[in-house]
Amino acid sequence: GENVEQHPSTLSVQEGDSAVIKCTYSDSASNYFPWYKQELGKGPQLIIDIRSNVGEKKDQRIAVTLNKTAKHFSLHITETQPEDSAVYFCAAPAPGGGYNKLIFGAGTRLAVHP
Amino acid sequence: AAGVIQSPRHLIKEKRETATLKCYPIPRHDTVYWYQQGPGQDPQFLISFYEKMQSDKGSIPDRFSAQQFSDYHSELNMSSLELGDSALYFCASSRPGVYEQYFGPGTRLTVT
């Protein structure tokens, strides 16, 4: 089945710096890759996603890039702010599951220091 | 904008008791997903429903069952609770034919 690996597990940056989180997936048929932000005590919040027919997508300070050949995708956060501190999860759909179940990476705990 | 509603938000049960978690999807969302998240872990898919029919099944114990009702809300029934069932349980919903899943705030289940 689909396997999603996420690195790093923790990331500490200074306010204003950039942060990059990387994920790899195993199923070449996967075609949808969301990123979720989870704050303490809250549910995962969909912050950006990308489909396999594009290589990059931006939304203000966040962007996602996709390399289908290498089967990896990355989240880029620029001009980080303390409120960006959270756990970030990448995900990919499980093979054969259509657009149903998502397989999540293990998560990256991002700390942005003022 | 309306979000996914889950109830209760917190639940404390003893071993071998039963629990029922409820999920109300975003209006006009017809697909509901249940995930379990242990401490410090990523969400694990349990089960999903599309148009009131089970559409996919993950690592859901036989002690658990779920259904989706005519108004699209869903309930997760958990019996013979074990200490290891203590976790956050999230419901997510999506619109017909789209990938994006939106998560609720979760129910924190504690089994003592």
Side-chain angles (χ1 to χ4, degrees):
Chain A
E2 176 72 282
N3 184 46
V4 179
E5 294 190 357
Q6 182 172 346
H7 300 280
S9 57
T10 60
L11 182 57
S12 183
V13 300
Q14 289 297 124
E15 182 177 1
D17 288 349
S18 295
V20 180
I21 303 170
K22 299 181 179 180
C23 285
T24 60
Y25 60 97
S26 59
D27 184 9
S28 56
S30 291
N31 57 3
Y32 171 70
F33 307 94
W35 284 91
Y36 286 86
K37 174 184 180 182
Q38 187 174 25
E39 296 174 288
L40 193 62
K42 296 185 178 180
Q45 175 194 2
L46 178 64
I47 57 172
I48 196 168
D49 55 19
I50 192 168
R51 285 162 177 72
S52 58
N53 57 344
V54 297
E56 183 176 6
K57 183 178 177 181
K58 286 184 179 180
D59 183 4
Q60 299 183 333
R61 295 187 298 107
I62 61 174
V64 56
T65 58
L66 171 65
N67 184 326
K68 284 217 71 178
T69 302
K71 290 190 284 188
H72 69 70
F73 57 111
S74 300
L75 177 70
H76 304 253
I77 306 174
T78 59
E79 301 173 26
T80 54
Q81 301 169 3
E83 51 265 40
D84 294 329
S85 297
V87 178
Y88 291 81
F89 291 99
C90 61
Y99 47 84
N100 281 349
K101 57 187 172 188
L102 292 175
I103 305 299
F104 286 83
T108 296
R109 183 173 300 278
L110 172 65
V112 180
H113 302 285
Chain B
V4 176
I5 297 172
Q6 291 187 245
S7 67
R9 294 294 312 277
H10 302 273
L11 191 58
I12 300 175
K13 292 285 185 178
E14 294 186 355
K15 284 195 305 183
R16 293 180 289 278
E17 286 191 320
T18 62
T20 297
L21 279 54
K22 297 184 179 182
C23 168
Y24 298 86
I26 294 171
R28 292 180 294 282
H29 284 203
D30 62 353
T31 306
V32 168
Y33 317 78
W34 286 96
Y35 292 85
Q36 178 191 58
Q37 186 178 33
Q41 298 181 359
D42 56 286
Q44 297 288 316
F45 173 78
L46 292 177
I47 195 167
S48 63
F49 292 87
Y50 166 67
E51 281 292 340
K52 293 152 280 185
M53 298 288 289
Q54 180 182 309
S55 56
D56 210 343
K57 197 171 181 179
S59 51
I60 183 169
D62 292 341
R63 300 176 289 107
F64 295 5
S65 65
Q67 58 182 323
Q68 186 179 32
F69 295 85
S70 57
D71 63 351
Y72 296 104
H73 93 273
S74 178
E75 294 183 4
L76 178 65
N77 299 292
M78 311 161 72
S79 63
S80 302
L81 288 169
E82 302 173 355
L83 295 178
D85 296 329
S86 295
L88 276 166
Y89 290 84
F90 290 105
C91 171
S93 72
S94 67
R95 288 189 292 118
V98 302
Y99 290 101
E100 292 87 346
Q101 296 183 25
Y102 296 91
F103 282 70
T107 294
R108 181 175 296 280
L109 172 66
T110 302
V111 182
T112 62

